[in-house]
Amino acid sequence: MNSSIFCGGPPPKQSDEIEWEMRPGGMFVQRRDAVGVDDDHGGVGSSRAGPMIKINVSYGSSQHEVYLPAESTFLDAKKLLAHKTGLEPNEQRLFFRGKEKQNEEHLHLGGVKDKSKMLLLEDAASKERKLEEMRKQNEMLKASQAVAGVRVEVDKLSDRVAALEVAVNGGTKVSEKEFLTSTELLMRQLLKLDSIEAEGEAKMQRKAEVRRVQNFVDTLDSLKERNSKPFSKNGSAVSVTTKWEKFGSGMGSLNAPSPMSSSGQASQDFERLD
């Protein structure tokens, strides 16, 4: 509060005319009906008359004190309490002597006096709305974590796709099984993404990861098609392992390899680890 409080004798004179009133106990305070309650504390206007009173309000395990003119309304009290509790006036329910009071009712007409006690409860609809917002936030966090887990797996598979691309671009014939296995692993991640229920930012993350997986699948299809065409350099086929170790091309011997009946036999005879 911005009011000045003095104990004992009357307050010192100032150049500007200020109206004062005596509080119970002999304290002088600046009249609130002349200056009004600071806007930062609820904005009870200067039109309110009557002496200032203190109200003790219980909210959960907390106790709050508010000061306002006796002829203020319960809505005025709620505006003051909003700064203390974080509850907007429309989210509050004020009870006095066991009865809920309406916004337009005046404190003094309802029997409220200095040091009266009130009970503040949060409106059920407001509480339910906040719980729903918390639930959505938790679900969004859970979805984001699930998408991040898939992203880690896709990062590993991206290395596999890159290795296959290097092999095909280098003119090395790769076993078709490598393309099928890589595609299957990517499709599994796509199914995981499809099972994630997401909203907001998490939904955008999932969409981006789905597009990324689809691009890798398209790349594998293109590499598989290129790999199926005859190679001019050599006809050997290699198998790209999950550890992505380097493979020999079958060119280590000075003697030409003997004719093979199938590409599978060639793969078995000429596949070599560096």
Side-chain angles (χ1 to χ4, degrees), residues 123-154:
D123 182 69
S126 170
K127 185 180 296 185
E128 183 65 25
R129 183 173 62 253
K130 291 180 180 179
L131 290 175
E132 180 66 16
E133 291 175 355
M134 290 181 59
R135 184 187 64 80
K136 288 183 178 180
Q137 290 178 354
N138 290 335
E139 287 183 353
M140 186 180 299
L141 177 61
K142 183 179 178 181
S144 295
Q145 292 174 342
V147 173
V150 173
R151 187 181 298 115
V152 172
E153 296 301 319
V154 175

Side-chain angles (χ1 to χ4, degrees), residues 1 3 28 50 56 65 97 121 162 168 220 229 237 241 248 273:
M1 289 183 62
S3 60
F28 284 87
N56 300 308
E65 295 180 352
R97 293 177 178 173
L121 298 178
V168 173
L220 287 173
K229 296 178 180 179
T241 68
L273 285 169

Side-chain angles (χ1 to χ4, degrees), residues 146-148 150-151 154 188-197 205-211 213:
V147 173
V150 173
R151 187 181 298 115
V154 175
R188 289 180 183 178
Q189 301 307 315
L190 202 59
L191 290 175
K192 288 183 181 180
L193 289 170
D194 187 59
S195 66
I196 298 175
E197 296 183 3
Q205 294 175 2
R206 184 188 65 181
K207 185 177 181 180
E209 203 60 31
V210 167
R211 188 181 300 111
V213 173

Side-chain angles (χ1 to χ4, degrees), residues 74-109:
F74 282 90
L75 177 59
D76 294 328
K78 289 181 178 181
K79 289 179 180 178
L80 293 175
L81 288 167
H83 296 273
K84 296 177 178 290
T85 63
L87 295 177
E88 293 299 322
N90 61 346
E91 297 175 336
Q92 301 178 33
R93 299 179 64 191
L94 267 180
F95 292 81
F96 180 60
R97 293 177 178 173
K99 294 182 179 181
E100 183 174 4
K101 312 305 290 186
Q102 301 304 312
N103 291 340
E104 64 276 8
E105 294 185 60
H106 290 265
L107 301 179
H108 69 295
L109 296 179

Side-chain angles (χ1 to χ4, degrees), residues 160-221:
R160 186 182 186 115
V161 174
L164 287 171
E165 190 169 15
V166 169
V168 173
N169 290 340
T172 301
K173 191 170 182 61
V174 181
S175 172
E176 183 177 351
K177 182 179 179 181
E178 295 297 332
F179 298 103
L180 297 177
T181 300
S182 299
T183 300
E184 181 181 352
L185 293 174
L186 284 168
M187 293 304 295
R188 289 180 183 178
Q189 301 307 315
L190 202 59
L191 290 175
K192 288 183 181 180
L193 289 170
D194 187 59
S195 66
I196 298 175
E197 296 183 3
E199 296 294 337
E201 180 65 25
K203 186 175 183 179
M204 296 178 63
Q205 294 175 2
R206 184 188 65 181
K207 185 177 181 180
E209 203 60 31
V210 167
R211 188 181 300 111
R212 182 172 176 233
V213 173
Q214 290 174 338
N215 288 337
F216 284 136
V217 172
D218 292 340
T219 299
L220 287 173
D221 289 342

